[in-house]
Amino acid sequence: QLHLLESGPGLVKPSETLSLTCTLSGGSMTTTPHFWGWIRQPPGKGLEWLGSISYSGNSYQNPSLRGRLTISVDTSKRQFSLELASVTAADTAVYYCSRHAGEYVVHPSDLWGQGALVTVSS
Amino acid sequence: SYVLTQPPSVSVAPGKTAKIACGGNNIGTKSVHWYQQKPAQAPLLVIYDESDRPSGIPDRFSGSNSGNTATLTISSVEAGDEADYYCQVWDSNTDHYVFGTGTKVTVL
């Protein structure tokens, strides 16, 4: 059974960098090619797609993040990561990692992590 | 940027049909995915490519897409269908995903 699990600090200070890692268990990231994504949800609000990356490192990002986002993948560790720079309180959210259903980013997210709450506060 | 608009809420009696609209400019030309999210849970894919169902999703869930509106239909609604529902499309003009504003379905 495949599982995704987000990990990282639950509290980040304003202006610092938010870093999260998503680890895949129960399978390989390279047996069949997939895109891997990050989505967030501020408390009481809707979903926002942040970005997605392929197993080979090809990535897409939400332009609203204005270059603050870095997504990387390490298939040998079965992990992909998110770094969001210069955070403010508006970045407080539950961050989800996900797997796209296939090798193209247009495939939907068919596997999700449980989500990790990250609060931006001093 | 591309905007997807959903009604904030839909109420439906058990056994009846719920229809959730997702409005966007020429959305009929795009592939639409739908997610169900229950409180304190991660989203769950219920419809992809406007009308296909993932394995394990009951056939009470169906989708359609034409013109400026995509629709998720839930037939014979059950109490367990109470959740927030989000549509999603890939905007090929800007190469990024857009989520709809979300619809809370309440089973009366």
Side-chain angles (χ1 to χ4, degrees):
Chain A
Q1 190 82 353
L2 292 175
H3 287 286
L4 292 172
L5 183 63
E6 304 88 350
S7 59
L11 181 64
V12 180
K13 290 182 169 55
S15 79
E16 295 189 345
T17 296
L18 182 161
S19 297
L20 291 172
T21 296
C22 184
T23 302
L24 173 70
S25 61
S28 166
M29 295 184 80
T30 55
T31 302
T32 53
H34 290 273
F35 262 81
W36 306 89
W38 290 98
I39 300 97
R40 71 180 178 182
Q41 185 171 36
K45 296 188 177 181
L47 300 171
E48 179 185 24
W49 175 79
L50 302 179
S52 298
I53 189 167
S54 72
Y55 71 100
S56 61
N58 182 28
S59 67
Y60 299 86
Q61 296 184 11
N62 193 323
S64 70
L65 296 173
R66 297 190 187 91
R68 294 194 295 134
L69 180 67
T70 301
I71 299 178
S72 59
V73 62
D74 187 337
T75 56
S76 65
K77 294 183 179 178
R78 292 184 291 177
Q79 293 178 335
F80 57 106
S81 300
L82 169 152
E83 290 189 341
L84 186 62
S86 305
V87 296
T88 69
D91 295 307
T92 293
V94 174
Y95 285 75
Y96 294 100
C97 62
S98 75
R99 183 193 74 170
H100 291 257
E103 63 179 307
Y104 302 107
V105 70
V106 295
H107 289 125
S109 291
D110 68 343
L111 178 69
W112 294 67
Q114 64 184 22
L117 174 62
V118 180
T119 301
V120 178
S121 175
S122 55
Chain B
S1 64
Y2 196 75
V3 176
L4 294 175
T5 302
Q6 298 180 236
S9 62
V10 167
S11 297
V12 59
K16 300 299 185 181
T17 296
K19 289 183 179 291
I20 304 164
C22 174
N25 187 37
N26 289 324
I27 194 174
T29 64
K30 303 179 184 298
S31 287
V32 181
H33 313 314
W34 288 92
Y35 299 88
Q36 175 194 72
Q37 186 181 33
K38 296 182 179 179
Q41 294 186 18
L44 171 72
L45 180 68
V46 293
I47 291 288
Y48 65 97
D49 294 346
E50 58 256 15
S51 60
D52 291 333
R53 279 186 312 277
S55 173
I57 300 301
D59 59 6
R60 300 184 297 103
F61 289 83
S62 62
S64 62
N65 187 18
S66 179
N68 293 318
T69 305
T71 303
L72 174 68
T73 300
I74 311 172
S75 305
S76 303
V77 166
E78 302 174 356
D81 299 329
E82 193 163 275
D84 293 326
Y85 291 83
Y86 295 90
C87 55
Q88 181 196 40
V89 302
W90 176 257
D91 180 9
S92 56
N93 290 328
T94 52
D95 277 348
H96 79 280
Y97 267 115
V98 179
F99 279 102
T101 49
T103 298
K104 181 176 181 61
V105 170
T106 299
V107 181
L108 300 171

